Amino acid sequence: MAEFQNFTMNFGPQHPAAHGVLRLVLEMDGEVIQAADPHIGLLHRATEKLAESKPFNQSIGYMDRLDYVSMMCNEHGYVLAIEKLLSITPTVRAQYIRVMFDEITRILNHLLWLGTHGLDIGAMTMFLYCFREREDLMDCYEAVSGTRMHATYYRPGGVYRDLPDTMPRYQPSKWHDEKDVARMNAAREGTMLDFIEDFTERFPVRVDEYETLLTDNRIWKQRTVNIGVVSPERAMALGFSGAMLRGSGIEWDLRKKQPYEVYADMDFDIPVGINGDCYARYLVRIEELRQSNRIIKQCVKWLRENPGPVILDDHKFAPPSRVEMKGNMESLIHHFKLFTEGYNVPEGEAYAAVEHPKGEFGIYLVSDGANKPYRLKIRAPGFAHLSSMHEMVEGHMLADVVAVIGTQDIVFGEIDR
Amino acid sequence: MKERYKALAASIAARFGDAVRQVDSSCGELTFEVSLDQLLPVCIALRDENSFCFEMLIDLCGIDYLQYGESEWQTDSATDSGFSRGVSREVVIPDPVASYDPRRFAVVYHLLSVQHNYRLRLRVYTGEANPPVVPSVVEVWSSANWYEREAFDLYGILFRGHPDLRRILTDYGFIGHPFRKDFPLVGNVEVKYDPEQRRVVYQPVSIEPRTLVPKTIRDDNRYAPEIKEPGSNG
């Protein structure tokens, strides 16, 4: 009989289930994985080095492009680090807006994760359902910042502007007549907060729909139960965070344990898994969708009742309004200084972390007192998760690699930076 | 700084003595400088001893302090030649064998204790060695594996005892360590399609380095230590 040897297989970088540009070199014994060596860096843009060459505020936009499915959470980590160094605290209304958009972003991220994870391991419908709900939230991004993805909305000291009074509406076209459009625009007649509130009413029902499709689905369970099991001890040693850590049974969420902004006032629960397999992490993320919905509701209620400034009135780092700038010489000087040189940040170093949808997103910022960061290190959760790939897939079948990539919820914008 | 962090700082100082030195840190965060030869024992103790329990290495990164505190644009005195972006660009070709300023390269560790809910930052300077060498902490925290590969790739810091120290983020066959401060932002080579050879070729960069906004450092009394309350945001 012929001798069979292990063979090496390239998975990606152009593979739809690789979630971007992951080149995975797999050593296979038949269909069983012996070793996995991820090659990353194909999307490396040196964001950290670029940030060293720009004034602080100009890099906020780069943060959106790190994890390009949870844009505002990235910005949040960055502005928190700057605020820590500047010793400023944003206005309360800005904090609520940030918390609300962090949770909207978490839902956006988890919906994309659920859709693509489902698509990868054989649940085509999920993708369509999830993208339907994502569309509404993307419209919120658009209404508040002007763009659907790369918002650049958070600023040191608050957010760029207050919530708008109107939502963008659909126009009749050859695909949608007046009647269709009237139905589609029904929720969009009021303010943005009305629209978000309407969404939070609808959304739990949608999550129930996803669960009827997946949670007790025999195929789904065959593909996820006991796949990629990580023990709690290993999860910590491997630097896991977020749903990856909670799926292994460790109750750790920065929103509860090291609360930032107004999370301490919010009423929500942290779901924790038991088995540490792909199915446990699926259940954790589904429950996080519901909890995020709860937080958004509380924020909407507060934001309705409490109007106020959304950015600090200190023109040393927040630009004056256009009206002020046109009529007041001091404001004009501030405007000019801020948009040419930027502001100087006192010497020091700060590490600010947020509970990003994927885990702990941290920004380590070193300033030497200049108008640019001296060193910016982005601690991307996906980087630590992907580094455990070998450990998680060793001994599994080839098809399980796809399930593990899906459960790690990796996005190359943040891993390669 | 919060009381519990003061207590942690005191217990670390008492436990490790000369091996660590607390650094004045803004923002209420706790930072210790660790001497190079004591790094591994300190890390193991921080992970295993019950009063510390730093089970997680959250982050590890290199820093190059070459241009720390250097302003690109001096405006204290008036010039007689007018203002410009004013950044002089001398091409400095690093000497491949010269020893480094002992405080040029550092490796920074961010630790997290899930059990006690503490964070801690350690910094170790690499000393004069060229190339800089630091003991690897992969044996202590598995997550260090890729972080150390990244620091090696971007800063050229070697990690003694690392099982697989390869480049991770840069291209296959990349030369140099791009995050060092003497590595130009525009890089050294560019890629283009050569129609004559009918393939993609590398060539020296054809663009000039350009500074859009010069780096300025200004005296700002608001941030003077006696005015700024230490750790007010911590």
Side-chain angles (χ1 to χ4, degrees), chain A residues 23 34 54 99 127 138 200 216 253 303 317 344 401:
Chain A
R23 180 180 169 208
Q34 301 295 313
K54 293 176 192 308
V99 167
F127 191 70
M138 290 294 217
T200 57
D216 293 321
D253 188 317
L303 285 167
F317 45 80
N344 285 29
V401 172

Side-chain angles (χ1 to χ4, degrees), chain A residues 68-101:
Chain A
Y68 41 76
V69 292
S70 21
M71 295 69 73
M72 287 200 198
C73 290
N74 305 337
E75 290 172 21
H76 201 167
Y78 182 62
V79 297
L80 271 184
I82 298 176
E83 283 167 358
K84 233 178 178 182
L85 281 171
L86 285 170
S87 301
I88 54 174
T89 314
T91 62
V92 185
R93 186 172 170 85
Q95 296 190 26
Y96 271 92
I97 293 177
R98 283 184 185 179
V99 167
M100 183 173 81
F101 269 96

Side-chain angles (χ1 to χ4, degrees), chain A residues 170 176-188:
Chain A
Y170 291 104
H176 295 293
D177 59 19
E178 298 279 352
K179 220 173 109 190
D180 277 350
V181 168
R183 178 179 51 78
M184 287 153 69
N185 284 337
R188 294 163 185 263

Side-chain angles (χ1 to χ4, degrees), chain A residues 48-65:
Chain A
E48 294 157 352
K49 178 121 178 158
L50 279 172
E52 288 170 13
S53 72
K54 293 176 192 308
F56 282 90
N57 268 16
Q58 289 186 19
S59 299
I60 299 175
Y62 279 115
M63 298 298 129
D64 292 315
R65 286 146 181 88

Side-chain angles (χ1 to χ4, degrees), chain B residues 63-227:
Chain B
I63 301 194
D64 178 1
Y65 282 105
L66 182 66
Q67 294 164 354
Y68 191 82
E70 281 176 26
S71 173
E72 283 177 325
W73 201 42
Q74 301 295 342
T75 50
D76 287 345
S77 58
T79 70
D80 52 7
S81 57
F83 289 108
S84 69
R85 288 218 170 92
V87 182
S88 65
R89 288 229 160 256
E90 292 162 42
V91 179
V92 183
I93 296 166
D95 184 342
V97 288
S99 60
Y100 292 122
D101 180 338
R103 292 176 81 80
R104 176 172 171 187
F105 290 106
V107 179
V108 177
Y109 305 80
H110 284 97
L111 311 183
L112 172 70
S113 165
V114 168
Q115 190 176 332
H116 300 307
N117 197 357
Y118 283 137
R119 282 186 193 278
L120 177 66
R121 181 185 299 127
L122 302 179
R123 180 168 31 234
V124 54
Y125 287 97
T126 59
E128 294 176 345
N130 183 4
V133 187
V134 173
S136 166
V137 294
V138 172
E139 293 298 318
V140 191
W141 295 286
S142 308
S143 57
N145 189 327
W146 275 24
Y147 287 125
E148 289 182 349
R149 279 177 68 185
E150 183 187 314
F152 159 69
D153 188 2
L154 302 179
Y155 287 95
I157 299 168
L158 301 181
F159 291 88
R160 194 185 303 112
H162 190 287
D164 183 23
L165 199 63
R166 282 178 291 155
R167 283 185 183 273
I168 185 164
L169 288 176
T170 51
D171 200 358
Y172 304 112
F174 190 89
I175 297 170
H177 298 289
F179 276 33
R180 288 188 175 187
K181 289 284 179 179
D182 50 14
F183 191 96
L185 184 66
V186 294
N188 290 322
V189 288
E190 64 185 19
V191 183
K192 71 156 194 177
Y193 178 74
D194 187 335
E196 282 169 16
Q197 300 182 49
R198 305 181 67 181
R199 65 185 180 88
V200 171
V201 295
Y202 284 88
Q203 63 182 28
V205 279
S206 54
I207 50 173
E208 288 280 309
R210 193 167 68 129
T211 300
L212 293 174
V213 181
K215 177 178 169 187
T216 55
I217 297 178
R218 299 191 184 281
D219 293 330
D220 195 331
N221 287 330
R222 289 176 303 160
Y223 303 137
E226 60 274 16
I227 292 176

Side-chain angles (χ1 to χ4, degrees), chain A residues 265-338:
Chain A
D265 302 336
M266 294 288 156
D267 180 25
F268 65 103
D269 302 319
I270 312 174
V272 176
I274 295 170
N275 296 331
D277 57 3
C278 292
Y279 189 67
R281 290 185 282 268
Y282 157 76
L283 293 175
V284 166
R285 288 192 176 110
I286 288 284
E287 186 54 31
E288 281 183 15
L289 285 175
R290 297 183 194 278
Q291 297 300 330
S292 292
N293 200 55
R294 252 174 96 185
I295 299 176
I296 295 174
K297 266 189 188 165
Q298 297 166 42
C299 289
V300 169
K301 183 163 176 289
W302 192 94
L303 285 167
R304 256 193 225 289
E305 294 162 0
N306 297 279
V310 294
I311 192 158
L312 291 178
D313 188 30
D314 183 343
H315 300 321
K316 293 298 172 208
F317 45 80
S321 72
R322 298 290 290 179
V323 178
E324 264 179 79
M325 186 267 282
K326 300 277 183 185
N328 176 338
M329 184 152 84
E330 194 185 335
S331 296
L332 182 63
I333 296 170
H334 274 133
H335 177 91
F336 176 75
K337 287 298 279 184
L338 277 170

